[in-house]
Amino acid sequence: DKDVGMNCILNLDEVYALEPSTETFSLLYEILQFLVSEFEKSSSSSESTIEMIERTLNLLSSNFRQLVASDVDPIEVGIKLASNTSTTTSATQKKEQTPIPDLLKLLKSLMERENLPSSIRVSSAEVIHTGLVLLYPEPRVRAELLSSLITRQKQSPSSSTNSPHYILLNR
């Protein structure tokens, strides 16, 4: 019985649930979306839900880090980046695509939500930083992000150094 379990562990493609693939990013997006909706439904902030959101963000960040570090073209493994996804896709095509643009929208909304704990808002900024070249694949789009972060900081210079926008700008 022990040998069977050990063989299963040895046969894993990646350790610690790191497998930057279309399925992984889709699943993490769905989990994160579900957990955020559960957090918003509950009248009292559930510590376990907050912890699950933070762990999901950590997994997302780790998978982004793995994909970026691998120097593999994401398109070759079926991951369509934001600039490569067409706006007019059928329902079948949409299911096959990695929700990178949707993930980015969700991460940005997590950074903005005042009702979420600071740790989740900051973790969302860290995930965006880790996956920056995937979430903002074109240099022009990254420059626009930097410009918007600088403008935001100029408009409210008294904002906390613990704010997710400041942290993203700083990195």
Side-chain angles (χ1 to χ4, degrees):
D1 201 24
K2 255 186 177 178
D3 291 338
V4 172
M6 195 61 172
N7 284 336
C8 289
I9 292 172
L10 293 175
N11 290 331
L12 290 175
D13 290 338
E14 297 288 339
V15 295
Y16 307 114
L18 293 183
E19 185 182 329
S21 66
T22 303
E23 295 82 15
T24 300
F25 287 114
S26 295
L27 185 60
L28 289 172
Y29 170 72
E30 290 172 15
I31 291 170
L32 192 56
Q33 201 173 27
F34 171 77
L35 290 171
V36 170
S37 70
E38 285 298 307
F39 175 82
E40 290 175 343
K41 284 181 195 175
S42 67
S43 56
S44 63
S45 60
S46 166
E47 289 297 319
S48 62
T49 304
I50 292 169
E51 184 178 350
M52 294 287 285
I53 292 171
E54 289 173 348
R55 289 182 181 197
T56 304
L57 289 169
N58 285 336
L59 276 173
L60 187 57
S61 182
S62 297
N63 278 285
F64 275 144
R65 188 176 297 110
Q66 178 75 13
L67 184 57
V68 170
S70 71
D71 285 330
V72 171
D73 184 0
I75 297 167
E76 286 182 21
V77 292
I79 297 174
K80 296 189 181 359
L81 304 178
S83 65
N84 295 327
T85 56
S86 65
T87 54
T88 57
T89 55
S90 68
T92 311
Q93 287 175 323
K94 188 156 176 99
K95 275 191 163 191
E96 294 171 1
Q97 292 179 349
T98 305
I100 296 291
D102 296 331
L103 260 171
L104 179 58
K105 285 178 192 172
L106 181 57
L107 291 169
K108 286 167 67 175
S109 78
L110 292 177
M111 283 176 50
E112 300 291 334
R113 293 183 188 185
E114 296 292 331
N115 66 329
L116 289 173
S118 175
S119 61
I120 290 175
R121 297 176 68 219
V122 167
S123 292
S124 298
E126 290 171 351
V127 172
I128 290 174
H129 174 259
T130 302
L132 193 67
V133 295
L134 303 168
L135 297 168
Y136 295 93
E138 299 168 356
R140 175 189 52 80
V141 180
R142 287 193 295 271
E144 289 171 2
L145 170 66
L146 181 59
S147 176
S148 72
L149 290 170
I150 290 171
T151 302
R152 183 183 183 105
Q153 189 62 26
K154 278 184 174 179
Q155 289 173 346
S156 59
S158 62
S159 68
S160 168
T161 56
N162 293 328
S163 85
H165 296 93
Y166 179 82
I167 289 170
L168 189 57
L169 174 63
N170 196 29
R171 291 198 175 166

